[in-house]
């Protein structure tokens, strides 16, 4: 699947966003090595800290369908931002643990600006399970 197609899936996911509080819709799509795509959108709550980001929902969606870190090939996210939408700090921590460090992450927006990055670039010096040993 081409990166433009995965970004189109992230836009599709964005339409599923439940964001009445921020009115900021985010969509994400994760591609597995065997060609499956799992969507995620931000889902908010009147108890604000319970809001969940699109990227984490996409990863958790894929994992709940039986896929694991090394099954993932690429991740795309999109929102109506001036430049490519960048994952928040909490998502960077989760991506660092659950998404391959060298796999492409396509940050995009509705104008189709795209910036490619990866987990290592997004969160260098990450806290990890190794620190718990
Ligand atoms: N949001 C995401 O879904 N992903 C991010 O990386 C940034 C923030 C959501 C959370 C909240 O629902 C809304 O965007 C505003 O912060």
């Amino acid at each position: 699947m081409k990166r433009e197609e995965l970004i189109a899936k992230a836009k599709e996911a964005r339409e599923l966003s439940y964001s009445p509080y921020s009115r900021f819709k985010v969509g994400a799509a994760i591609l597995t090595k065997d060609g499956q795509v799992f969507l995620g959108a931000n889902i908010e709550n009147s108890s604000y800290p319970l809001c969940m980001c699109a990227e984490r929902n996409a990863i958790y969606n894929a994992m709940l369908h039986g896929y694991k870190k090394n099954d993932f090939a690429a991740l795309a996210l999109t929102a109506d931002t001036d430049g490519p939408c960048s994952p928040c700090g909490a998502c960077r921590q989760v991506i660092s643990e659950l998404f391959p460090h060298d796999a492409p992450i396509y940050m995009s927006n509705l104008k189709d600006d795209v910036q490619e990055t990866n987990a290592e670039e997004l969160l260098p010096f990450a806290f990890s399970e190794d620190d718990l040993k």
Side-chain angles (χ1 to χ4, degrees):
M1 173 178 270
K2 292 181 189 156
R3 79 177 193 177
E4 286 71 26
E5 292 174 279
L6 191 63
I7 291 167
K9 287 286 182 188
K11 285 183 184 169
E12 192 181 308
R14 183 176 168 275
E15 293 306 314
L16 301 172
S17 167
Y18 174 74
S19 43
Y21 306 104
S22 72
R23 300 186 190 283
F24 185 72
K25 296 180 183 185
V26 186
I30 189 164
L31 175 68
T32 63
K33 287 178 182 167
D34 66 1
Q36 298 291 309
V37 175
F38 294 95
L39 305 184
N42 56 326
I43 306 290
E44 299 186 342
N45 193 279
S46 52
S47 177
Y48 296 166
L50 301 183
C51 296
M52 180 53 68
C53 292
E55 302 92 309
R56 278 180 280 165
N57 274 335
I59 292 172
Y60 299 155
N61 184 14
M63 291 183 74
L64 289 168
H65 283 83
Y67 291 86
K68 294 186 171 65
K69 183 173 189 167
N70 289 324
D71 301 324
F72 300 142
L75 174 68
L77 72 137
T78 196
D80 190 9
T81 41
D82 284 344
C85 183
S86 177
C88 78
C91 286
R92 289 174 192 225
Q93 178 68 29
V94 169
I95 288 168
S96 173
E97 178 150 342
L98 300 177
F99 191 78
H101 279 199
D102 55 351
I105 296 174
Y106 306 124
M107 304 184 291
S108 68
N109 62 12
L110 301 188
K111 297 179 286 181
D112 289 326
D113 296 320
V114 182
Q115 186 176 343
E116 182 175 332
T117 185
N118 60 46
E120 188 62 36
E121 283 182 353
L122 286 174
L123 191 63
F125 310 108
F127 181 79
S128 78
E129 60 182 347
D130 296 338
D131 296 305
L132 298 175
K133 288 173 187 157

